Every structure is written in C-alpha cells, then in structure tokens.
Amino acid sequence: MKSTKKLLSKVVLKEGIKYLEKDPINNISKLADWAGKIPMLDATRKQYEAIVKVWEDEDSNWHTFIENLMTEIHPNIRKTILMNFAINAGIEGLRKIDESKKKYDCNVPWAILMDPTSACNLNCIGCWAAEYEKNDSMDYDTLSSVIKQGKELGTHMYIFSGGEPLVRRHDIIKLAKEHNDCVFLAFTNGTLFDEEYAKQLQEVGNVTFAISIEGFEEDTDMRRGKGTYKKVIDGMDLLRDHGIPFGFSSCYHSKNEETISSEEYIDFMIEKGCYFGWFFTYMPLGKDAVPELLATPEQRKHMYYKIREYRKTKPLFTMDFWNDGEYVNGCIAGGRNYLHINANGDVEPCAFIHYSTANIKEVSLIEALQQPLFQQYRKHQPFNENMLRPCPLLDNPEMLKKMVQESGAKSTQPMDREDVVDLTNKTIEASKEWAPVAEELWEESHLCMTCSNCK
C-alpha cells in the first residue's frame, strides 16, 4: 500500500509538472492543486499550505522568489530538483525517515554532509577543514554506498563539503547520475567552474551549489587569498547564465559582520543570481584558531534582526544556523536533521564538532547513527530551553564536554587531536556573554508570537 501511495504521489506531481513546463507562471496554481492531493505528514502539509499562501500574495517578496525559480532556472534542472526535493526528499522521504527513527530507535537525518576530499586549492583563515590531512578522501564506492544506505532510511538530500568538493567534480556528476532520485548540494569556494562543467550540470539536473564568500573583495580576499573574490563572481555569473541554481554561504565574524548583514551585500548577491543565503558564525577550531574573530553578542544580535528583516522584504531564502534555532527546535546535528562524514570516513555529529566513535569504512550507516556520541546528542537535544542558544559548542560548551567524555568519543583531527576541554575553554566566555542577550531576544520573540498583532 505504501509503495502504491508513493507511486501515485510521483504520478500526480509529474502530471502537475507537465502543466508547469508549458507555462510556468500561469500554471503554478495548477501544480499546487495537484500537490495538495498527495498524502503528507502534518508538518509537511503546513509547509505546503504556507508556500501556497505566499504565492497567492502577488505583492509578497516570496511571490517574486517563486516566480524567479520558475522562470530563471534551466528547465531540466527545475523539473528534476522539483520532483526530487518535493517528493523524494520531502513528502515521501520525511515519511520514511519518521518510520526509520522508530524502527532503529535513533536519530535519522534528512541530509547527510560528506567530504569527498580534504584537498583544496585555497588555504582560508579559520577553515574548519584546515586541520584535516590534505590527502584524505573517500573513494567513489564509499560515497555511493552511503547514499544507497541513506535512501533505505528515507534520506534523499546529500551535501558535499571539504576541502574543496569540486576537486572531485567529475565524481559528483557521476554520483548525481547514479542517484538521480536525490538532490545534491555542494559547498564550494566557487573558483573551479567552467563552461563544460556547466553543461554537464544542466544535463544531470539535480546538483546545486552554496558558494563561499565573505562579503565584498577586501573581506573575501582577506580570508581566502588575493584574487579569490573575482573568481567567485565569475563563477556566479557562469552559473546564472546557464540557469544553474545556487546561493551564497557566508561566515560572519568580528571583522566582517557589518558587511555581511548590509542591505548592499544582500542586494548584490540577489543581483548575481543567488536564490538562497546560508549564514554561519565563526567557530574557533584547531590550534590555529583565532578566538578574536568570534562575533560579539552585539554583532550576533544585529544579524538576528537583519536576517528577519530581509525575509520580509527580499526574494531570497536565508538561514542563520545559530540564530534560527527557534524554527528547528535547537541544534539539528547528531543525525537529528543532519550529520557530517569527513574525508577519512569519521562520522561526526556536525561539521564543526570533530569527535566520533564510528567510521563509515568500518560500520554501516545505521550503526554510525547508533554510536554512543549520537545517542548522547539524541538524549540531550535540545541543549537549552532557549532555542537562541542551540549550539553545544558555542552556546552550551559544558554540554559538549559532557557528551564527548561520556561517550568516549575521540578527536577526528589528525593534525591536531584537540581535547574537548581545550576546545570548549575557547567558547566559555563567549557563551556567557551571549546568554543574557539571547534571553532578551527569546522573551521578545515569545511576546511577539502571542500579541494580537502577530496572531
């Protein structure tokens, strides 16, 4: 019965997409009607209804956003990603993940982040991958095996980082072809795109990119090396001209927060063709970390307000992975919504938490999800009642120390086996300084949600 429902869901959406391809703008409403007939989890149904609502408001920035998606992306990519994201990673995938969590009594992620390689053509200041061996890599069969095992659990969203994942760009195309029922996103420094690769991306249709950029030229080249900014902008132009969807990924820190949060920067990213923006805050990992780059509480608060302002005014999907804890019930790591597998195969709770008790070359994916450290995450999530203090490292360092020590997890950084006590000592003061500001914002947020103007 379930397989029949899944088949019907795909048939229904495929019929809707046929109408969409004939006339994208005028037929979006027809597609929405088709999609509304598909059985969904309650949470998925609410998301669907929210999308329909913003599309119906023609004055909304989100109406403009959807219109851009439907008219600017290459038709094959639009069709493929819509099917894979809406059905495989969305409606059907979420249902399967829910079943897998109950069956295996552990977290099962919506997305898996993997590092095909630790090699990179850049040497960015403060990069969390800088502590890994540059010759580490996962072979093709291992990468494909993870995806196969993940799909059995319901996971159809796969993300590549590194190192620089496009060092393995041909393997990424090969994986996308083999697993054409999945969505792939690569975090890239944006310097390795060319015309030939753009055409391959149009053909496979299920790969998109988050391009790392630190602001304008001065800020970007400061962390990533002179001349990097120009290559990034050229890469964005190439992708936009070929109808390949992408967004930007920006790390804000004490030296660039004002630029990253500026309307000038956001508007420029939209002009270059970005559909989304991921915001990360600097994390002091490894022996060469620069704690002085940690964003101040005032800067983090400023980001909180600015991102929420842009969501009401800009045709851009944005996410601040620390300040948006209230929307996802705190920390999403440890397999709750995602996990990280480094280039050596170590299965870590997060790209920024380099500890593990499992290696994917030695255990199955489900065994890795059941490892002691991940069970510690599951037991303690959320790590704070205030969802604006979600992170076990940046906001609750005593909790990270407790989980690592009680699980017996070991450092996965081969060049710098950073003890968890040394790591958390770097963020204790920052967490204390952020706490009262987070409490103020949390109280304000709850008052807003209950007042008559926001109901």
Side-chain angles (χ1 to χ4, degrees), residues 297-324:
E298 291 74 21
Q299 289 173 322
R300 189 167 166 183
K301 178 180 179 180
H302 187 242
M303 287 293 298
Y304 173 91
Y305 283 123
K306 295 302 290 186
I307 298 303
R308 281 156 179 74
E309 174 189 327
Y310 296 142
R311 284 179 185 148
K312 298 176 181 178
T313 58
K314 306 294 183 182
L316 182 76
F317 184 82
T318 55
M319 183 174 290
D320 182 332
F321 285 83
W322 279 261
N323 285 339
D324 283 339

Side-chain angles (χ1 to χ4, degrees), residues 281-284 294 300 322 391-397 427 430-431 434:
T281 192
Y282 175 76
M283 302 288 270
L294 281 167
R300 189 167 166 183
W322 279 261
C391 182
L393 173 56
L394 192 60
D395 305 319
N396 307 277
T427 61
S431 69
W434 171 246

Side-chain angles (χ1 to χ4, degrees), residues 222-241:
M222 184 275 287
R223 278 197 73 199
R224 299 182 175 273
K226 187 173 178 59
T228 301
Y229 177 80
K230 184 181 184 306
K231 291 180 180 178
V232 169
I233 297 304
D234 288 345
M236 287 184 172
D237 290 342
L238 180 69
L239 294 181
R240 183 196 60 219
D241 292 345

Side-chain angles (χ1 to χ4, degrees), residues 40-108:
M40 307 177 194
L41 295 175
D42 289 344
T44 310
R45 176 67 61 181
K46 288 180 181 178
Q47 293 173 348
Y48 158 79
E49 291 173 349
I51 293 171
V52 172
K53 183 177 180 180
V54 296
W55 171 249
E56 291 174 346
D57 180 2
E58 295 187 6
D59 295 325
S60 166
N61 57 306
W62 293 108
H63 181 96
T64 302
F65 174 78
I66 296 171
E67 194 171 78
N68 292 343
L69 286 174
M70 293 299 106
T71 58
E72 297 173 354
I73 294 177
H74 187 276
N76 184 52
I77 299 175
R78 182 175 64 227
K79 176 178 64 178
T80 304
I81 288 186
L82 183 59
M83 174 63 71
N84 290 356
F85 192 85
I87 293 294
N88 299 335
I91 295 169
E92 295 299 335
L94 289 169
R95 183 184 295 124
K96 179 64 174 178
I97 286 171
D98 191 55
E99 294 171 357
S100 297
K101 288 178 180 179
K102 296 172 183 175
K103 178 179 179 180
Y104 294 105
D105 194 28
C106 65
N107 283 336
V108 175

Side-chain angles (χ1 to χ4, degrees), residues 112-305:
I112 293 178
L113 172 65
M114 298 189 286
D115 300 346
T117 179
S118 57
C120 185
N121 60 319
L122 299 180
N123 185 26
C124 305
I125 296 171
C127 174
W128 56 260
E131 292 298 314
Y132 291 128
E133 295 281 4
K134 297 306 177 189
N135 57 356
D136 281 344
S137 66
M138 283 192 282
D139 61 39
Y140 182 89
D141 288 343
T142 300
L143 293 166
S144 183
S145 175
V146 171
I147 297 170
K148 289 174 183 175
Q149 293 178 70
K151 289 194 291 186
E152 288 295 317
L153 299 173
T155 305
H156 284 77
M157 182 75 197
Y158 293 89
I159 306 172
F160 299 117
S161 58
E164 168 50 49
L166 290 192
V167 170
R168 300 274 301 277
R169 62 183 189 166
H170 297 300
D171 279 340
I172 289 176
I173 291 290
K174 186 178 177 181
L175 286 166
K177 287 181 178 179
E178 180 181 355
H179 301 283
N180 58 12
D181 54 347
C182 293
V183 179
F184 295 92
L185 167 70
F187 280 94
T188 174
N189 60 41
T191 64
L192 298 177
F193 293 114
D194 58 34
E195 185 82 19
E196 178 187 356
Y197 198 62
K199 292 178 180 177
Q200 293 175 4
L201 292 167
Q202 288 177 337
E203 180 183 350
V204 295
N206 59 343
V207 184
T208 184
F209 300 91
I211 299 176
S212 298
I213 186 167
E214 309 299 327
F216 295 108
E217 188 167 15
E218 181 179 355
D219 290 315
T220 297
D221 286 359
M222 184 275 287
R223 278 197 73 199
R224 299 182 175 273
K226 187 173 178 59
T228 301
Y229 177 80
K230 184 181 184 306
K231 291 180 180 178
V232 169
I233 297 304
D234 288 345
M236 287 184 172
D237 290 342
L238 180 69
L239 294 181
R240 183 196 60 219
D241 292 345
H242 285 78
I244 299 164
F246 67 93
F248 66 91
S249 171
S250 292
C251 174
Y252 64 91
H253 50 76
S254 61
K255 305 299 183 184
N256 74 344
E257 184 276 333
E258 185 175 355
T259 298
I260 293 294
S261 64
S262 70
E263 187 168 19
E264 178 187 11
Y265 177 65
I266 298 298
D267 286 343
F268 182 63
M269 289 294 97
I270 295 171
E271 177 189 328
K272 298 315 295 181
C274 292
Y275 294 101
F276 58 86
W278 299 157
F279 294 90
F280 298 87
T281 192
Y282 175 76
M283 302 288 270
L285 305 178
K287 59 182 174 58
D288 295 327
V290 185
E292 292 76 24
L293 285 178
L294 281 167
T296 67
E298 291 74 21
Q299 289 173 322
R300 189 167 166 183
K301 178 180 179 180
H302 187 242
M303 287 293 298
Y304 173 91
Y305 283 123

Side-chain angles (χ1 to χ4, degrees), residues 318-372:
T318 55
M319 183 174 290
D320 182 332
F321 285 83
W322 279 261
N323 285 339
D324 283 339
E326 61 183 313
Y327 302 122
V328 291
N329 198 35
C331 172
I332 64 173
R336 180 171 162 259
N337 289 101
Y338 103 109
L339 58 81
H340 176 235
I341 306 176
N342 69 26
N344 186 51
D346 301 304
V347 185
E348 304 169 336
C350 175
F352 300 98
I353 306 298
H354 299 167
Y355 299 92
S356 180
T357 57
N359 189 290
I360 202 64
K361 298 175 183 178
E362 301 167 354
V363 302
S364 67
L365 179 58
I366 195 63
E367 288 171 327
L369 287 164
Q370 293 171 332
Q371 67 169 288

